[in-house]
Amino acid sequence: MLRTVCLTLSLVLAVPVAMAGPVAPAEGRVTVTYVAPETFRDREFRRERSRTSALAEFDRWFAGLGARYLPAGQSLHVEVLNIDLAGEFEPWRSGFHDVRFLRDTTPPRIHLRYRLMQDGTVIRAGEERLTDMNYLSDPRGHGDSRRFIHDKLMVQDWFRKTFGAPQRPARSDLSG
C-alpha cells in the first residue's frame, strides 16, 4: 500500500514538470568548432575513434566553463585550429606504447580563435596560442586522474583571464 502511494505521489509530482518541457538554462553558451582535427599535431587526433572521444571531452569542458564564466545573454564561438596535448607517447618503451609521458619539454598547446557575442553583437574577438610551460608545477593537476587534466586546466586559466570572475560557483567536475 505504501509503495503504491509513493509511486502515485511521485507520478503526480513528475507529470507537470515533464509536460512543461525542457527548461532553457540561464547560463552562457559555448559553440566549439574544430578546424581539420585530423591534422592536429597530437597523435590522439589521428585515429577517428580517439579523436571523437577527445573532442567530445573538450566540448564538455568548454560548455562547463561557459556555464561558469559567461553571464546570461553572452555566447562564445571558439574555433580550435590545433591541439598538442601535454606529454607524448613513447612507443619505443616496451609495454608502454599507449602511455603518455609528461615532461617539461612537452607542454600542452592549443591554438584557437574566439568571438564573444552579446545580443548578436561581437563584443570581443581574438586569436590565442595557449601554452603552459609550467604545467608540471601546477598543484591542481597533481594526483588528478582525469583525462587531459593539464590541457583542461590551461583552457580554464585562459577562460578566467579572458572573461573574468566566475558568474556561478564551480561544479565538482570543474574544480581543480
Side-chain angles (χ1 to χ4, degrees), residues 46-113:
R46 293 187 190 139
R47 291 188 320 248
E48 178 69 29
R49 184 175 175 190
S50 61
R51 179 175 56 242
T52 302
S53 171
L55 296 180
E57 190 135 350
F58 278 102
D59 283 342
R60 287 189 298 275
W61 191 253
F62 273 106
L65 290 171
R68 182 174 178 198
Y69 286 93
L70 299 179
Q74 287 188 353
S75 62
L76 179 66
H77 303 280
V78 178
E79 286 182 313
V80 178
L81 305 172
N82 197 4
I83 298 177
D84 187 3
L85 299 169
E88 290 289 335
F89 294 106
E90 297 179 356
W92 60 86
R93 291 183 174 270
S94 178
F96 294 100
H97 62 279
D98 279 342
V99 175
R100 189 176 284 278
F101 288 87
L102 304 177
R103 303 200 187 288
D104 291 340
T105 57
T106 59
R109 293 182 173 104
I110 298 179
H111 181 197
L112 56 83
R113 278 190 293 250

Side-chain angles (χ1 to χ4, degrees), residues 2 7 9 13 36-37 39 43 68-69 76 81 84 91 99 101 105-106 113 120 123 128 131 137 151 160 173:
L2 181 59
L7 179 61
L9 182 58
L13 295 174
T39 64
R43 180 180 124 180
R68 182 174 178 198
Y69 286 93
L76 179 66
L81 305 172
D84 187 3
V99 175
F101 288 87
T105 57
T106 59
R113 278 190 293 250
I123 59 174
E128 301 282 343
T131 302
S137 300
D151 312 271
R160 184 179 42 76
D173 61 335

